[in-house]
Amino acid sequence: MNALKNKRILIIGFVWPEPKSSAAGSRMMQLIAFFKENGGKIMFASTASESEFSEELYEVDRKQITLNCTSFDEFVSELQPDLVLFDRFMTEEQFGWRVAEHCPNALRMLDSEDLHCLREARRLTVLKNKPFNLNNDLAKREIASIYRCDVTLMVSEFEIELLQSHFKVPSFIMFYLPIWMGNETLNLPSFEERSDFMFIGNFLHAPNHDAVVYLKEKIWPLLFTKFPEAKMHIYGAYPTQKIKSLHEPKLNFYVHGRVDSSFEVISKARVLLAPIRFGAGIKGKLLEAMQFGTTSVTSEIGAEAMNGNFLWNGFITDSPEDFAEKAIELYQDKIIWVKAQQNGFEIIKNGFSKDLFKDSFKEFLTDKFKNLEKYRNKNFTGLLLIHHFLQSTKYMAKWIEEKNKA
């Protein structure tokens, strides 16, 4: 049975997807492709403006929506979707109560991308030297959003365990669905055909910004001193002036900015360096490195929830000195490099292949659609939060709407 065939699916995007800019954009395009493949009729809506880098959404209807406006109520009432996917918890906060009021029978699904409260707690610890506090204000909003939805898609098994153990979130309102990789055979350059170190990432994402600054200031001086022939290439969308200022050819440190094809730059490099000091979820750059046969050196947080019981496709370390030494060793020793490359292929095959998830996801959705009322009654905390959130947010939104008319 195909639970999605002819179902009306509304996706409320935090932004319009940019798969060439970020892993979040690639993730959204994967979900859209999955729904389309299974016969869903998709409407993508967002309050954000499209950019020149937004992906063309073929066979997908599009709608520009407005915050705190009854025009959304009219739109969603007429559409009457069977499933509403909220892209990150902030969109559920903005539109979840309207969906619950006007489309009470629609399956409400949250795509978390990563656990924002975990990322924020780590950021404050690293950058502000504050004690690690997972019970922060962001967590109060994010966990409430998870409870209000019928299901939350999680990309990290570590975060699922954290939500269950720390916040007591019931397992039946979560589903593990990581970014998946294709099974196509790629013609990849050999060890000898590759050269240089590289990093790639969207610099609007704070962990990427911090990682490159940390790399340039703490790790690269150690690496370059021991290996002066080394070259480092930085790629990524939306580089800030700070990132651009790190460009220093005399130290073989090059900042290039946006690229059209991540495959082109990652597959030509021998080693990807990702000293990620805070963050959450799984890292798209590291998955692509594995798929494209590029080895990597990263941090414990960088590798979190990615390799399971398999060996990493390179090295994992949080010490700047060790990071530099391991990067050089991986770059120069072909035997170690080839073994690391194979480790990456194994991780992709056994942990991130689309074939591992497509059928179980369909079965999960079939069960949710069939037994939606039963699952909602099991999640009394969610019912309670929806009731109070609908009341408080509804009148706040109406107040803002009236204020905007003045």
Side-chain angles (χ1 to χ4, degrees):
M1 179 180 176
N2 187 348
L4 292 171
K5 188 172 180 61
N6 295 321
K7 286 284 196 297
R8 296 180 299 276
I9 299 169
L10 171 62
I11 300 174
I12 305 180
F14 184 66
V15 294
W16 294 89
E18 292 186 23
K20 293 181 180 179
S21 299
S22 69
S26 298
R27 160 72 162 195
M28 180 53 68
M29 293 308 299
Q30 286 183 349
L31 291 174
I32 289 173
F34 176 85
F35 293 141
K36 285 168 61 178
E37 289 166 9
N38 288 280
K41 300 183 183 303
I42 306 170
M43 169 72 76
F44 191 98
S46 180
T47 61
S49 299
E50 295 188 59
S51 78
E52 61 181 302
F53 306 110
S54 299
E55 187 76 356
E56 190 69 40
L57 301 178
Y58 296 105
E59 299 177 5
V60 173
D61 292 326
R62 308 147 79 93
K63 177 74 173 179
Q64 191 80 32
I65 53 178
T66 305
L67 279 174
N68 303 309
C69 183
T70 54
S71 61
F72 180 85
D73 302 345
E74 297 164 4
F75 156 68
V76 79
S77 294
E78 182 178 348
L79 183 66
Q80 281 300 309
D82 300 291
L83 185 157
V84 178
L85 173 65
F86 302 101
D87 174 21
R88 284 163 275 199
F89 81 90
M90 295 80 81
T91 61
E92 189 280 332
E93 285 185 324
Q94 294 162 347
F95 295 100
W97 70 269
R98 294 182 184 271
V99 170
E101 183 173 70
H102 297 285
C103 309
N105 297 321
L107 178 69
R108 298 187 297 272
M109 178 184 292
L110 172 64
D111 187 33
S112 68
E113 298 290 352
D114 60 21
L115 201 56
H116 292 65
C117 62
L118 175 61
R119 187 206 315 160
E120 177 64 5
R122 288 170 168 171
R123 185 189 71 84
L124 293 174
T125 298
V126 170
L127 299 185
K128 305 295 184 180
N129 201 30
K130 293 187 176 182
F132 180 79
N133 176 24
L134 195 54
N135 296 333
N136 51 50
D137 288 343
L138 202 61
K140 296 166 189 173
R141 295 168 52 197
E142 186 170 24
I143 306 308
S145 180
I146 290 172
Y147 268 106
R148 286 193 297 265
C149 289
D150 298 307
V151 58
T152 295
L153 303 180
M154 303 293 300
V155 301
S156 165
E157 290 179 303
F158 170 82
E159 292 175 10
I160 289 177
E161 294 171 3
L162 185 66
L163 286 170
Q164 289 180 283
S165 62
H166 188 82
F167 294 109
K168 310 306 178 187
V169 175
S171 61
F172 65 86
I173 63 171
M174 295 183 285
F175 186 81
Y176 175 57
L177 190 71
I179 299 171
W180 56 60
M181 312 306 284
N183 298 321
E184 65 272 16
T185 301
L186 301 172
N187 184 21
L188 299 174
S190 65
F191 175 84
E192 290 80 9
E193 293 170 325
R194 296 168 178 259
S195 62
D196 303 340
F197 298 96
M198 64 88 62
F199 175 94
I200 189 168
N202 185 324
F203 292 107
L204 295 179
H205 191 54
N208 288 334
H209 193 282
D210 176 76
V212 171
V213 174
Y214 183 72
L215 174 64
K216 174 65 185 297
E217 296 179 351
K218 300 296 184 181
I219 296 173
W220 191 250
L222 300 171
L223 194 157
F224 189 69
T225 299
K226 295 181 179 180
F227 185 22
E229 297 83 14
K231 294 180 180 179
M232 184 72 209
H233 299 278
I234 306 296
Y235 304 95
Y238 305 109
T240 63
Q241 190 55 48
K242 172 65 175 178
I243 295 298
K244 293 177 181 177
S245 72
L246 301 177
H247 181 76
E248 195 167 1
K250 69 178 182 180
L251 295 181
N252 290 348
F253 199 95
Y254 304 95
V255 177
H256 302 282
R258 178 186 292 274
V259 293
D260 289 332
S261 169
S262 59
F263 172 76
E264 287 297 318
V265 295
I266 296 176
S267 65
K268 290 178 180 177
R270 193 174 290 178
V271 182
L272 183 145
L273 303 182
I276 298 168
R277 298 198 298 163
F278 61 90
I282 55 177
K283 315 305 179 290
K285 63 182 67 59
L286 294 171
L287 278 181
E288 287 191 320
M290 294 178 202
Q291 185 183 34
F292 302 155
T294 305
T295 61
S296 65
V297 184
T298 191
S299 60
E300 291 285 350
I301 287 178
E304 183 178 84
M306 293 188 66
N307 60 318
N309 295 321
F310 294 89
L311 295 174
W312 190 250
N313 73 321
F315 295 104
I316 302 170
T317 178
D318 289 323
S319 160
E321 294 79 12
D322 193 43
F323 199 105
E325 290 177 5
K326 294 300 186 185
I328 295 171
E329 181 182 357
L330 188 57
Y331 189 93
Q332 294 181 332
D333 193 317
K334 180 178 179 180
I335 294 176
I336 293 176
W337 186 91
V338 170
K339 180 63 173 72
Q341 183 189 60
Q342 292 301 315
N343 291 343
F345 293 151
E346 286 298 305
I347 292 171
I348 292 291
K349 177 183 175 182
N350 293 282
F352 296 95
S353 170
K354 181 180 178 180
D355 290 341
L356 297 172
F357 304 101
K358 61 180 184 180
D359 291 337
S360 59
F361 189 32
K362 282 192 286 188
E363 292 170 6
F364 179 83
L365 290 175
T366 298
D367 182 48
K368 279 290 181 181
F369 278 121
K370 184 179 179 180
N371 300 293
L372 185 57
E373 185 176 356
K374 180 186 77 173
Y375 283 119
R376 284 181 175 175
N377 288 331
K378 282 179 64 177
N379 179 20
F380 181 75
T381 300
L383 294 175
L384 183 151
L385 287 169
I386 288 169
H387 173 79
H388 289 284
F389 188 70
L390 192 152
Q391 299 304 318
S392 60
T393 311
K394 176 178 179 178
Y395 292 106
M396 174 61 74
K398 287 185 176 297
W399 179 82
I400 293 172
E401 186 175 359
E402 291 301 317
K403 186 173 181 290
N404 290 339
K405 291 178 182 178

